[in-house]
Amino acid sequence: AQTVTQSQPEMSVQEAETVTLSCTYDTSESDYYLFWYKQPPSRQMILVIRQEAYKQQNATENRFSVNFQKAAKSFSLKISDSQLGDAAMYFCAWGGGGATNKLIFGTGTLLAVQP
Amino acid sequence: DVKVTQSSRYLVKRTGEKVFLECVQDMDHENMFWYRQDPGLGLRLIYFSYDVKMKEKGDIPEGYSVSREKKERFSLILESASTNQTSMYLCASSFGISGSPLHFGNGTRLTVT
């Protein structure tokens, strides 16, 4: 069975600094997708970034980028120039290659941004 | 923008009551999901549906059932609510295309007393 592990329950970063959130996963499948979702206090889960496993190039979305290490089964999220609005719970998720798109989530990392 | 709407933001029910959580999406998505979110446990899949009247159990289906009579609506049913079902419930939907991201509703915080 697939598992997703986020080993950092809480992290803190100074405004304008860079922070990296860790995620590792375990799977025997070769076709899969990885996601980072953000959940602010409003509770709305928002997609931050998506990575296809068959792509070697790391995905980026503005200040958010990932370091995808397929052999190591690692998928970390880097937030550059952190802003107060980045404070949220961040979830890493794994999805298989089938069309059902059901995701397996990690336990989350609560990110605090200090002014 | 995709909109996934959950009928209640907060709900308080008594033990033994039958509880219905409703979810509606407006993007013609094939897939719909119910997750449960608990501190320290992340999100766990209860049930999902890949088509009208089709459903599959997720990782924690015990004590729950679902109904999908129309493509846009997916209901989660607690047949006899228990205190250990006090939790945050998140509905999500996606296209039936491999790798399509999930779009989530705002969640229903259910308290069973």
Side-chain angles (χ1 to χ4, degrees):
Chain A
Q2 287 74 28
T3 59
V4 177
T5 302
Q6 293 179 251
S7 58
Q8 306 152 317
E10 296 183 14
M11 291 197 70
S12 182
V13 64
Q14 292 290 127
E15 202 174 359
E17 297 291 305
T18 296
V19 65
T20 299
L21 308 184
S22 301
C23 173
T24 59
Y25 60 94
D26 191 21
T27 184
S28 57
E29 297 188 21
S30 57
D31 180 23
Y32 56 90
Y33 299 81
L34 295 162
F35 303 83
W36 278 98
Y37 279 87
K38 168 185 176 181
Q39 186 181 44
S42 67
R43 300 183 344 204
Q44 178 73 55
M45 292 276 282
I46 302 163
L47 177 67
V48 175
I49 204 162
R50 171 182 174 272
Q51 174 82 42
E52 294 106 329
Y54 62 85
K55 285 189 176 178
Q56 291 190 346
Q57 187 173 7
N58 290 326
T60 62
E61 282 291 340
N62 301 314
R63 298 181 295 105
F64 298 87
S65 62
V66 298
N67 183 5
F68 174 46
Q69 301 287 328
K70 190 171 184 178
K73 297 180 181 175
S74 171
F75 182 61
S76 59
L77 175 70
K78 186 171 85 171
I79 306 174
S80 303
D81 186 25
S82 297
Q83 301 175 359
L84 294 177
D86 294 333
M89 180 74 88
Y90 286 82
F91 291 98
C92 176
W94 178 97
T100 58
N101 293 320
K102 53 181 180 172
L103 297 184
I104 296 169
F105 285 83
T107 51
T109 296
L110 182 62
L111 178 66
V113 180
Q114 308 298 331
Chain B
D1 261 2
V2 177
K3 195 154 178 74
V4 180
T5 304
Q6 295 185 230
S7 53
S8 304
R9 193 155 172 84
Y10 297 95
L11 213 50
V12 180
K13 295 293 181 181
R14 292 186 179 270
T15 302
E17 276 193 82
K18 190 168 187 176
V19 181
F20 293 86
L21 302 184
E22 307 286 347
C23 176
V24 177
Q25 51 95 4
D26 67 356
M27 276 300 290
D28 203 34
H29 283 167
E30 291 83 9
N31 300 331
M32 294 190 75
F33 309 82
W34 277 105
Y35 281 90
R36 171 176 170 159
Q37 181 179 2
D38 298 288
L41 297 177
L43 280 71
R44 294 177 292 166
L45 182 62
I46 304 172
Y47 267 98
F48 70 99
S49 168
Y50 52 89
D51 200 352
V52 176
K53 297 191 187 294
M54 305 304 289
K55 60 186 178 185
E56 282 195 22
K57 293 179 180 179
D59 299 316
I60 52 164
E62 297 78 19
Y64 304 95
S65 62
V66 290
S67 172
R68 193 167 179 200
E69 296 297 318
K70 293 185 178 181
K71 190 174 185 179
E72 67 270 20
R73 186 179 295 272
F74 192 37
S75 303
L76 179 69
I77 304 156
L78 286 66
E79 296 290 342
S80 177
S82 64
T83 55
N84 63 13
Q85 292 178 309
T86 291
S87 186
M88 172 79 77
Y89 291 88
L90 294 171
C91 175
S93 68
S94 81
F95 286 115
I97 300 170
S98 181
S100 292
L102 270 59
H103 298 266
F104 284 85
N106 276 351
T108 296
R109 187 172 295 282
L110 172 68
T111 302
V112 183
T113 61

mmCIF file of all heavy atoms in Angstrom, chain A residues 4-41:
data_model
loop_
_atom_site.group_PDB
_atom_site.id
_atom_site.type_symbol
_atom_site.label_atom_id
_atom_site.label_comp_id
_atom_site.label_asym_id
_atom_site.label_seq_id
_atom_site.Cartn_x
_atom_site.Cartn_y
_atom_site.Cartn_z
ATOM 1 N N VAL A 4 2.332 8.142 2.566
ATOM 2 C CA VAL A 4 2.923 9.467 2.438
ATOM 3 C C VAL A 4 3.298 9.941 3.830
ATOM 4 O O VAL A 4 2.465 9.902 4.745
ATOM 5 C CB VAL A 4 1.929 10.461 1.793
ATOM 6 C CG1 VAL A 4 2.529 11.860 1.732
ATOM 7 C CG2 VAL A 4 1.546 9.987 0.395
ATOM 8 N N THR A 5 4.544 10.387 3.986
ATOM 9 C CA THR A 5 5.045 10.786 5.302
ATOM 10 C C THR A 5 5.518 12.229 5.290
ATOM 11 O O THR A 5 6.351 12.621 4.467
ATOM 12 C CB THR A 5 6.208 9.877 5.738
ATOM 13 O OG1 THR A 5 5.749 8.519 5.764
ATOM 14 C CG2 THR A 5 6.704 10.264 7.126
ATOM 15 N N GLN A 6 4.969 13.010 6.199
ATOM 16 C CA GLN A 6 5.449 14.373 6.431
ATOM 17 C C GLN A 6 5.995 14.389 7.857
ATOM 18 O O GLN A 6 5.231 14.289 8.817
ATOM 19 C CB GLN A 6 4.328 15.388 6.248
ATOM 20 C CG GLN A 6 3.836 15.490 4.818
ATOM 21 C CD GLN A 6 2.710 16.488 4.665
ATOM 22 O OE1 GLN A 6 1.558 16.121 4.447
ATOM 23 N NE2 GLN A 6 3.040 17.770 4.760
ATOM 24 N N SER A 7 7.300 14.500 7.987
ATOM 25 C CA SER A 7 7.946 14.303 9.286
ATOM 26 C C SER A 7 8.012 15.576 10.128
ATOM 27 O O SER A 7 8.458 15.529 11.270
ATOM 28 C CB SER A 7 9.356 13.753 9.080
ATOM 29 O OG SER A 7 10.096 14.639 8.277
ATOM 30 N N GLN A 8 7.595 16.698 9.561
ATOM 31 C CA GLN A 8 7.654 17.974 10.281
ATOM 32 C C GLN A 8 6.235 18.429 10.628
ATOM 33 O O GLN A 8 5.556 19.009 9.800
ATOM 34 C CB GLN A 8 8.325 19.044 9.415
ATOM 35 C CG GLN A 8 9.682 18.673 8.882
ATOM 36 C CD GLN A 8 9.991 19.383 7.569
ATOM 37 O OE1 GLN A 8 9.136 19.472 6.690
ATOM 38 N NE2 GLN A 8 11.202 19.888 7.417
ATOM 39 N N PRO A 9 5.764 18.189 11.843
ATOM 40 C CA PRO A 9 4.393 18.606 12.189
ATOM 41 C C PRO A 9 4.221 20.128 12.147
ATOM 42 O O PRO A 9 3.168 20.620 11.770
ATOM 43 C CB PRO A 9 4.210 18.088 13.610
ATOM 44 C CG PRO A 9 5.271 17.067 13.806
ATOM 45 C CD PRO A 9 6.414 17.457 12.919
ATOM 46 N N GLU A 10 5.279 20.853 12.530
ATOM 47 C CA GLU A 10 5.201 22.316 12.554
ATOM 48 C C GLU A 10 6.530 22.901 12.074
ATOM 49 O O GLU A 10 7.603 22.337 12.332
ATOM 50 C CB GLU A 10 4.918 22.828 13.968
ATOM 51 C CG GLU A 10 3.585 22.407 14.533
ATOM 52 C CD GLU A 10 3.337 23.001 15.917
ATOM 53 O OE1 GLU A 10 4.064 23.924 16.308
ATOM 54 O OE2 GLU A 10 2.420 22.517 16.596
ATOM 55 N N MET A 11 6.418 24.038 11.380
ATOM 56 C CA MET A 11 7.619 24.771 10.990
ATOM 57 C C MET A 11 7.316 26.253 11.088
ATOM 58 O O MET A 11 6.147 26.669 11.051
ATOM 59 C CB MET A 11 8.048 24.406 9.577
ATOM 60 C CG MET A 11 8.578 22.999 9.456
ATOM 61 S SD MET A 11 9.515 22.753 7.957
ATOM 62 C CE MET A 11 10.968 23.725 8.271
ATOM 63 N N SER A 12 8.408 27.031 11.168
ATOM 64 C CA SER A 12 8.266 28.474 11.256
ATOM 65 C C SER A 12 9.292 29.134 10.341
ATOM 66 O O SER A 12 10.389 28.599 10.166
ATOM 67 C CB SER A 12 8.470 28.940 12.705
ATOM 68 O OG SER A 12 8.286 30.328 12.815
ATOM 69 N N VAL A 13 8.896 30.250 9.743
ATOM 70 C CA VAL A 13 9.798 30.968 8.837
ATOM 71 C C VAL A 13 9.582 32.457 9.025
ATOM 72 O O VAL A 13 8.472 32.903 9.345
ATOM 73 C CB VAL A 13 9.543 30.546 7.369
ATOM 74 C CG1 VAL A 13 8.141 30.933 6.912
ATOM 75 C CG2 VAL A 13 10.603 31.123 6.428
ATOM 76 N N GLN A 14 10.629 33.227 8.842
ATOM 77 C CA GLN A 14 10.519 34.675 8.883
ATOM 78 C C GLN A 14 9.985 35.168 7.533
ATOM 79 O O GLN A 14 10.312 34.603 6.477
ATOM 80 C CB GLN A 14 11.864 35.330 9.137
ATOM 81 C CG GLN A 14 12.431 35.090 10.534
ATOM 82 C CD GLN A 14 11.641 35.814 11.603
ATOM 83 O OE1 GLN A 14 11.217 35.207 12.573
ATOM 84 N NE2 GLN A 14 11.419 37.101 11.418
ATOM 85 N N GLU A 15 9.196 36.194 7.605
ATOM 86 C CA GLU A 15 8.706 36.821 6.383
ATOM 87 C C GLU A 15 9.894 37.144 5.466
ATOM 88 O O GLU A 15 10.943 37.577 5.944
ATOM 89 C CB GLU A 15 7.962 38.111 6.759
ATOM 90 C CG GLU A 15 6.970 38.598 5.732
ATOM 91 C CD GLU A 15 6.169 39.801 6.246
ATOM 92 O OE1 GLU A 15 6.392 40.228 7.398
ATOM 93 O OE2 GLU A 15 5.329 40.289 5.484
ATOM 94 N N ALA A 16 9.720 36.886 4.171
ATOM 95 C CA ALA A 16 10.703 37.133 3.117
ATOM 96 C C ALA A 16 11.795 36.063 3.037
ATOM 97 O O ALA A 16 12.599 36.070 2.095
ATOM 98 C CB ALA A 16 11.348 38.503 3.221
ATOM 99 N N GLU A 17 11.822 35.144 3.999
ATOM 100 C CA GLU A 17 12.814 34.079 3.949
ATOM 101 C C GLU A 17 12.276 32.886 3.163
ATOM 102 O O GLU A 17 11.123 32.875 2.721
ATOM 103 C CB GLU A 17 13.184 33.644 5.379
ATOM 104 C CG GLU A 17 13.833 34.736 6.220
ATOM 105 C CD GLU A 17 15.215 35.079 5.710
ATOM 106 O OE1 GLU A 17 16.053 34.160 5.588
ATOM 107 O OE2 GLU A 17 15.468 36.281 5.430
ATOM 108 N N THR A 18 13.131 31.880 3.016
ATOM 109 C CA THR A 18 12.787 30.662 2.283
ATOM 110 C C THR A 18 12.631 29.505 3.251
ATOM 111 O O THR A 18 13.387 29.401 4.223
ATOM 112 C CB THR A 18 13.867 30.339 1.239
ATOM 113 O OG1 THR A 18 13.887 31.387 0.264
ATOM 114 C CG2 THR A 18 13.595 29.009 0.548
ATOM 115 N N VAL A 19 11.654 28.656 2.997
ATOM 116 C CA VAL A 19 11.424 27.488 3.845
ATOM 117 C C VAL A 19 11.166 26.272 2.964
ATOM 118 O O VAL A 19 10.600 26.397 1.863
ATOM 119 C CB VAL A 19 10.233 27.735 4.802
ATOM 120 C CG1 VAL A 19 8.927 27.904 4.043
ATOM 121 C CG2 VAL A 19 10.118 26.627 5.840
ATOM 122 N N THR A 20 11.600 25.111 3.441
ATOM 123 C CA THR A 20 11.379 23.863 2.702
ATOM 124 C C THR A 20 10.617 22.874 3.572
ATOM 125 O O THR A 20 11.029 22.586 4.700
ATOM 126 C CB THR A 20 12.712 23.242 2.260
ATOM 127 O OG1 THR A 20 13.382 24.166 1.383
ATOM 128 C CG2 THR A 20 12.482 21.943 1.517
ATOM 129 N N LEU A 21 9.513 22.377 3.044
ATOM 130 C CA LEU A 21 8.702 21.380 3.727
ATOM 131 C C LEU A 21 8.995 20.007 3.118
ATOM 132 O O LEU A 21 9.015 19.863 1.894
ATOM 133 C CB LEU A 21 7.208 21.703 3.578
ATOM 134 C CG LEU A 21 6.767 23.129 3.953
ATOM 135 C CD1 LEU A 21 5.265 23.255 3.847
ATOM 136 C CD2 LEU A 21 7.274 23.514 5.316
ATOM 137 N N SER A 22 9.182 19.020 3.970
ATOM 138 C CA SER A 22 9.591 17.692 3.510
ATOM 139 C C SER A 22 8.411 16.755 3.318
ATOM 140 O O SER A 22 7.406 16.849 4.025
ATOM 141 C CB SER A 22 10.557 17.064 4.519
ATOM 142 O OG SER A 22 11.692 17.870 4.682
ATOM 143 N N CYS A 23 8.584 15.847 2.373
ATOM 144 C CA CYS A 23 7.572 14.814 2.123
ATOM 145 C C CYS A 23 8.274 13.614 1.506
ATOM 146 O O CYS A 23 9.050 13.766 0.557
ATOM 147 C CB CYS A 23 6.487 15.330 1.189
ATOM 148 S SG CYS A 23 5.286 14.076 0.658
ATOM 149 N N THR A 24 8.019 12.450 2.041
ATOM 150 C CA THR A 24 8.485 11.223 1.409
ATOM 151 C C THR A 24 7.291 10.313 1.190
ATOM 152 O O THR A 24 6.264 10.437 1.867
ATOM 153 C CB THR A 24 9.538 10.491 2.256
ATOM 154 O OG1 THR A 24 8.972 10.181 3.536
ATOM 155 C CG2 THR A 24 10.783 11.340 2.438
ATOM 156 N N TYR A 25 7.411 9.419 0.247
ATOM 157 C CA TYR A 25 6.301 8.536 -0.073
ATOM 158 C C TYR A 25 6.845 7.153 -0.399
ATOM 159 O O TYR A 25 8.046 6.986 -0.668
ATOM 160 C CB TYR A 25 5.479 9.104 -1.237
ATOM 161 C CG TYR A 25 6.274 9.291 -2.498
ATOM 162 C CD1 TYR A 25 6.315 8.306 -3.485
ATOM 163 C CD2 TYR A 25 7.024 10.447 -2.706
ATOM 164 C CE1 TYR A 25 7.070 8.475 -4.621
ATOM 165 C CE2 TYR A 25 7.779 10.613 -3.842
ATOM 166 C CZ TYR A 25 7.804 9.637 -4.792
ATOM 167 O OH TYR A 25 8.560 9.798 -5.931
ATOM 168 N N ASP A 26 5.969 6.194 -0.366
ATOM 169 C CA ASP A 26 6.359 4.838 -0.700
ATOM 170 C C ASP A 26 5.356 4.282 -1.694
ATOM 171 O O ASP A 26 4.141 4.311 -1.443
ATOM 172 C CB ASP A 26 6.415 3.961 0.554
ATOM 173 C CG ASP A 26 7.061 2.624 0.289
ATOM 174 O OD1 ASP A 26 7.812 2.521 -0.712
ATOM 175 O OD2 ASP A 26 6.832 1.687 1.063
ATOM 176 N N THR A 27 5.845 3.785 -2.810
ATOM 177 C CA THR A 27 4.983 3.203 -3.825
ATOM 178 C C THR A 27 5.798 2.263 -4.690
ATOM 179 O O THR A 27 7.007 2.452 -4.849
ATOM 180 C CB THR A 27 4.339 4.290 -4.704
ATOM 181 O OG1 THR A 27 3.434 3.669 -5.623
ATOM 182 C CG2 THR A 27 5.372 5.074 -5.490
ATOM 183 N N SER A 28 5.136 1.277 -5.247
ATOM 184 C CA SER A 28 5.789 0.388 -6.204
ATOM 185 C C SER A 28 5.325 0.694 -7.623
ATOM 186 O O SER A 28 5.762 0.069 -8.582
ATOM 187 C CB SER A 28 5.486 -1.072 -5.864
ATOM 188 O OG SER A 28 4.086 -1.287 -5.849
ATOM 189 N N GLU A 29 4.438 1.677 -7.762
ATOM 190 C CA GLU A 29 3.928 2.035 -9.083
ATOM 191 C C GLU A 29 4.913 2.954 -9.795
ATOM 192 O O GLU A 29 5.687 3.680 -9.168
ATOM 193 C CB GLU A 29 2.560 2.717 -8.944
ATOM 194 C CG GLU A 29 1.509 1.805 -8.347
ATOM 195 C CD GLU A 29 0.121 2.394 -8.385
ATOM 196 O OE1 GLU A 29 -0.119 3.310 -9.202
ATOM 197 O OE2 GLU A 29 -0.736 1.931 -7.614
ATOM 198 N N SER A 30 4.871 2.896 -11.116
ATOM 199 C CA SER A 30 5.773 3.738 -11.902
ATOM 200 C C SER A 30 5.072 4.982 -12.436
ATOM 201 O O SER A 30 5.708 5.980 -12.737
ATOM 202 C CB SER A 30 6.351 2.936 -13.074
ATOM 203 O OG SER A 30 5.290 2.423 -13.870
ATOM 204 N N ASP A 31 3.734 4.921 -12.534
ATOM 205 C CA ASP A 31 2.952 6.043 -13.056
ATOM 206 C C ASP A 31 2.146 6.642 -11.910
ATOM 207 O O ASP A 31 1.223 5.995 -11.400
ATOM 208 C CB ASP A 31 2.025 5.543 -14.177
ATOM 209 C CG ASP A 31 1.200 6.668 -14.761
ATOM 210 O OD1 ASP A 31 1.611 7.840 -14.638
ATOM 211 O OD2 ASP A 31 0.138 6.376 -15.356
ATOM 212 N N TYR A 32 2.499 7.852 -11.512
ATOM 213 C CA TYR A 32 1.778 8.478 -10.412
ATOM 214 C C TYR A 32 1.987 9.984 -10.451
ATOM 215 O O TYR A 32 2.746 10.510 -11.279
ATOM 216 C CB TYR A 32 2.212 7.899 -9.053
ATOM 217 C CG TYR A 32 3.689 7.970 -8.758
ATOM 218 C CD1 TYR A 32 4.246 9.086 -8.115
ATOM 219 C CD2 TYR A 32 4.533 6.923 -9.101
ATOM 220 C CE1 TYR A 32 5.598 9.143 -7.844
ATOM 221 C CE2 TYR A 32 5.892 6.977 -8.830
ATOM 222 C CZ TYR A 32 6.417 8.084 -8.193
ATOM 223 O OH TYR A 32 7.764 8.141 -7.926
ATOM 224 N N TYR A 33 1.272 10.663 -9.587
ATOM 225 C CA TYR A 33 1.323 12.121 -9.503
ATOM 226 C C TYR A 33 1.495 12.511 -8.048
ATOM 227 O O TYR A 33 1.038 11.798 -7.141
ATOM 228 C CB TYR A 33 0.022 12.738 -10.052
ATOM 229 C CG TYR A 33 -0.226 12.413 -11.500
ATOM 230 C CD1 TYR A 33 -0.787 11.185 -11.876
ATOM 231 C CD2 TYR A 33 0.124 13.299 -12.510
ATOM 232 C CE1 TYR A 33 -0.991 10.869 -13.204
ATOM 233 C CE2 TYR A 33 -0.085 12.990 -13.844
ATOM 234 C CZ TYR A 33 -0.637 11.768 -14.179
ATOM 235 O OH TYR A 33 -0.840 11.461 -15.499
ATOM 236 N N LEU A 34 2.105 13.649 -7.837
ATOM 237 C CA LEU A 34 2.305 14.167 -6.488
ATOM 238 C C LEU A 34 1.777 15.585 -6.423
ATOM 239 O O LEU A 34 1.872 16.348 -7.398
ATOM 240 C CB LEU A 34 3.796 14.137 -6.124
ATOM 241 C CG LEU A 34 4.404 12.731 -6.047
ATOM 242 C CD1 LEU A 34 5.910 12.811 -6.132
ATOM 243 C CD2 LEU A 34 3.961 12.027 -4.770
ATOM 244 N N PHE A 35 1.237 15.930 -5.268
ATOM 245 C CA PHE A 35 0.598 17.228 -5.096
ATOM 246 C C PHE A 35 0.989 17.833 -3.750
ATOM 247 O O PHE A 35 1.242 17.116 -2.779
ATOM 248 C CB PHE A 35 -0.939 17.094 -5.111
ATOM 249 C CG PHE A 35 -1.509 16.447 -6.336
ATOM 250 C CD1 PHE A 35 -1.565 15.068 -6.442
ATOM 251 C CD2 PHE A 35 -2.008 17.218 -7.375
ATOM 252 C CE1 PHE A 35 -2.102 14.459 -7.570
ATOM 253 C CE2 PHE A 35 -2.548 16.624 -8.497
ATOM 254 C CZ PHE A 35 -2.599 15.240 -8.591
ATOM 255 N N TRP A 36 0.991 19.142 -3.706
ATOM 256 C CA TRP A 36 1.002 19.873 -2.446
ATOM 257 C C TRP A 36 -0.276 20.720 -2.398
ATOM 258 O O TRP A 36 -0.587 21.451 -3.345
ATOM 259 C CB TRP A 36 2.214 20.795 -2.327
ATOM 260 C CG TRP A 36 3.449 20.100 -1.883
ATOM 261 C CD1 TRP A 36 4.469 19.646 -2.656
ATOM 262 C CD2 TRP A 36 3.813 19.801 -0.523
ATOM 263 N NE1 TRP A 36 5.437 19.072 -1.875
ATOM 264 C CE2 TRP A 36 5.072 19.154 -0.567
ATOM 265 C CE3 TRP A 36 3.206 20.014 0.722
ATOM 266 C CZ2 TRP A 36 5.715 18.716 0.584
ATOM 267 C CZ3 TRP A 36 3.847 19.584 1.854
ATOM 268 C CH2 TRP A 36 5.100 18.936 1.785
ATOM 269 N N TYR A 37 -0.984 20.590 -1.273
ATOM 270 C CA TYR A 37 -2.174 21.393 -1.025
ATOM 271 C C TYR A 37 -1.942 22.267 0.203
ATOM 272 O O TYR A 37 -1.236 21.887 1.132
ATOM 273 C CB TYR A 37 -3.400 20.497 -0.759
ATOM 274 C CG TYR A 37 -4.053 19.948 -2.000
ATOM 275 C CD1 TYR A 37 -3.615 18.757 -2.573
ATOM 276 C CD2 TYR A 37 -5.123 20.614 -2.592
ATOM 277 C CE1 TYR A 37 -4.228 18.244 -3.708
ATOM 278 C CE2 TYR A 37 -5.741 20.111 -3.729
ATOM 279 C CZ TYR A 37 -5.288 18.929 -4.281
ATOM 280 O OH TYR A 37 -5.889 18.426 -5.405
ATOM 281 N N LYS A 38 -2.564 23.430 0.188
ATOM 282 C CA LYS A 38 -2.487 24.374 1.296
ATOM 283 C C LYS A 38 -3.876 24.498 1.906
ATOM 284 O O LYS A 38 -4.874 24.611 1.181
ATOM 285 C CB LYS A 38 -2.033 25.728 0.736
ATOM 286 C CG LYS A 38 -2.163 26.905 1.672
ATOM 287 C CD LYS A 38 -1.795 28.191 0.934
ATOM 288 C CE LYS A 38 -1.993 29.410 1.809
ATOM 289 N NZ LYS A 38 -1.661 30.666 1.091
ATOM 290 N N GLN A 39 -3.943 24.485 3.240
ATOM 291 C CA GLN A 39 -5.216 24.679 3.925
ATOM 292 C C GLN A 39 -5.070 25.823 4.934
ATOM 293 O O GLN A 39 -4.563 25.625 6.030
ATOM 294 C CB GLN A 39 -5.673 23.398 4.628
ATOM 295 C CG GLN A 39 -7.067 23.519 5.228
ATOM 296 C CD GLN A 39 -7.486 22.247 5.950
ATOM 297 O OE1 GLN A 39 -6.714 21.645 6.687
ATOM 298 N NE2 GLN A 39 -8.744 21.827 5.747
ATOM 299 N N PRO A 40 -5.493 27.020 4.576
ATOM 300 C CA PRO A 40 -5.437 28.150 5.514
ATOM 301 C C PRO A 40 -6.531 28.001 6.572
ATOM 302 O O PRO A 40 -7.332 27.074 6.503
ATOM 303 C CB PRO A 40 -5.693 29.357 4.604
ATOM 304 C CG PRO A 40 -6.422 28.810 3.425
ATOM 305 C CD PRO A 40 -6.011 27.377 3.264
ATOM 306 N N PRO A 41 -6.579 28.924 7.526
ATOM 307 C CA PRO A 41 -7.611 28.842 8.576
ATOM 308 C C PRO A 41 -9.045 28.829 8.037
ATOM 309 O O PRO A 41 -9.939 28.335 8.702
ATOM 310 C CB PRO A 41 -7.340 30.094 9.415
ATOM 311 C CG PRO A 41 -5.881 30.336 9.242
ATOM 312 C CD PRO A 41 -5.582 29.944 7.813
#
